[in-house]
Amino acid sequence: MGSWNWIPLFWKGDKVSSSGFHSSSTAEEITEGIDASQLTTIVTGATSGIGKETARVLALRGATVVIACRSLEKAESFLEQNADAKIHVMEMDLSSLDSVESFARSFNSSYEQLHILINNAGIMACPFQLSKDGIEMQFATNHLGHFLLTNLLMNKIVTAEETGIQGRIVSVSSLGHSSKFDESWFNLEKINDQSNYGPFAAYSHSKLANIWHANELSRRLQEKGCNITANSLHPGAIHTNLCRYLNISSFILDAIAVATKPFLKSIPQGASTTCYLALHPDMKDVTGKYFGDCNETLPSAVARDKELSIKCWEFSQQLLNNLRGPIDVH
């Protein structure tokens, strides 16, 4: 997920850092020589943008890839383009908790194990609207749906981990998480207050929640001694359809895209960090970290705040309990 992800834009430099990769590295380059044929993976939002490229490269390396998506029609065209790959499509709308639960039931009954979960799907700066469950749409889609999905699939990841293969959970966040944060956000009435709604602020908070989720999940898994990692990332500045809700004419949008092209990543470059966290052997045992350009980097101070990570976790769990009844969140 990316767009011009987001302001400010960055120069797409090629400086090689500790991993040996840089901002111009592509997902195929990152995963060259890696055999993923024993792995089962899920990628949310994989019918366009970097999610689609992530799924394609995982399948290219031999993985069984389950695409969880809203549009089966878009997914079918993707399947036709990758007819020889082990790609399967299952319907899921992350903004609907019913849909997330339905997907998890279908996956859990069809697959014995899950090795890699990539929480990629997202929307950005959409007009105010509530989900089917009465939650502000960006928070519902970008965070709460993934929070529930991860929990419902955890037993399958644990089962895979027990075979000796380390499980990996990857959350696609954004540099946009670093805008101003207000703790009153941990209040559903505030989140759902249309009069105070700011599309970019809501996006920022949902991306901040992605990092908190990965960090707190990592801490809990380590406490339980599970051989499962959880990390988050910023994919870079990428022009994709994530910016479809921006109130800018298509002509101006195209002109901006042309003018900023030297500063932006391509979609194959934008998918590289996700694929690095998902498949690269250097990521073994690395958990609770935040990455950009295939290298560990520091998110904002508020994203690193352990107490806020716990508070976000508890807030999310309470929301699910209120909406769905008691849920055993791992």
Side-chain angles (χ1 to χ4, degrees):
M1 35 153 313
S3 79
W4 310 313
N5 208 337
W6 74 334
I7 300 171
L9 295 173
F10 295 98
W11 175 257
K12 182 169 62 67
D14 291 334
K15 182 180 178 180
V16 176
S17 296
S18 58
S19 70
F21 301 111
H22 45 70
S23 63
S24 293
S25 298
T26 66
E28 282 198 29
E29 292 169 348
I30 293 295
T31 60
E32 185 175 359
I34 294 176
D35 178 9
S37 59
Q38 302 303 309
L39 304 179
T40 297
T41 70
I42 291 176
V43 184
T44 66
T47 56
S48 64
I50 66 172
K52 183 177 181 180
E53 177 68 1
T54 296
R56 185 190 72 80
V57 172
L58 292 177
L60 179 68
R61 302 309 177 208
T64 296
V65 180
V66 176
I67 293 176
C69 63
R70 289 181 300 172
S71 173
L72 295 181
E73 183 178 349
K74 285 185 179 179
E76 288 302 325
S77 65
F78 181 42
L79 289 177
E80 291 173 3
Q81 297 166 13
N82 299 272
D84 296 330
K86 295 183 291 185
I87 299 176
H88 310 282
V89 177
M90 297 175 67
E91 187 173 12
M92 182 181 70
D93 179 356
L94 277 165
S95 71
S96 165
L97 299 180
D98 277 342
S99 180
V100 173
E101 289 186 351
S102 177
F103 169 86
R105 282 194 301 270
S106 297
F107 179 87
N108 288 337
S109 65
S110 303
Y111 295 86
E112 293 183 0
Q113 300 172 349
L114 174 62
H115 303 95
I116 300 169
L117 171 61
I118 299 178
N119 291 325
N120 166 82
I123 56 176
M124 186 182 83
C126 62
F128 180 84
Q129 56 185 308
L130 298 179
S131 71
K132 295 176 182 177
D133 302 288
I135 308 293
E136 187 277 314
M137 187 62 78
Q138 292 190 81
F139 181 74
T141 302
N142 297 352
H143 170 63
L144 196 62
H146 281 130
F147 185 85
L148 176 61
L149 177 67
T150 302
N151 174 67
L152 296 177
L153 297 173
M154 189 57 68
N155 286 339
K156 290 296 182 180
I157 304 175
V158 171
T159 299
E161 174 252 344
E162 290 172 349
T163 67
I165 299 177
Q166 187 172 71
R168 297 187 183 185
I169 300 169
V170 179
S171 294
V172 179
S173 180
S174 167
L175 182 70
H177 82 271
S178 59
S179 70
K180 185 178 178 181
F181 171 71
D182 179 355
E183 277 201 57
S184 67
W185 178 73
F186 293 125
N187 180 312
L188 184 58
E189 290 184 1
K190 296 287 186 181
I191 292 176
N192 288 350
D193 184 356
Q194 185 173 0
S195 66
N196 289 322
Y197 179 74
F200 283 103
Y203 175 73
S204 175
H205 288 162
S206 71
K207 295 289 96 182
L208 183 57
N210 291 157
I211 300 175
W212 281 337
H213 178 211
N215 290 350
E216 179 62 8
L217 179 60
S218 171
R219 186 185 69 80
R220 288 171 177 247
L221 290 170
Q222 286 181 292
E223 280 188 353
K224 293 180 179 181
C226 296
N227 186 27
I228 302 170
T229 66
N231 294 288
S232 57
L233 67 101
H234 167 55
I238 312 150
H239 180 47
T240 72
N241 69 353
L242 191 67
C243 58
R244 62 189 179 274
Y245 291 112
L246 298 182
N247 189 24
I248 303 174
S249 72
S250 59
F251 174 79
I252 294 176
L253 204 59
D254 289 343
I256 293 173
V258 170
T260 57
K261 186 175 181 180
F263 304 93
L264 302 180
K265 288 186 176 185
S266 66
I267 287 176
Q269 291 166 345
S272 64
T273 305
T274 304
C275 289
Y276 180 72
L277 269 59
L279 288 185
H280 203 278
D282 286 354
M283 285 301 299
K284 186 178 187 302
D285 299 329
V286 177
T287 189
K289 304 298 183 181
Y290 176 77
F291 286 76
D293 296 337
C294 303
N295 287 275
E296 183 182 340
T297 187
L298 282 179
S300 66
V302 71
R304 303 194 303 271
D305 190 312
K306 179 180 176 181
E307 295 307 313
L308 289 177
S309 294
I310 294 172
K311 192 170 184 178
C312 181
W313 185 283
E314 293 173 345
F315 174 65
S316 303
Q317 182 173 1
Q318 187 59 52
L319 269 181
L320 291 178
N321 288 346
N322 292 342
L323 292 166
R324 317 301 296 171
I327 296 176
D328 180 20
V329 180
H330 294 266

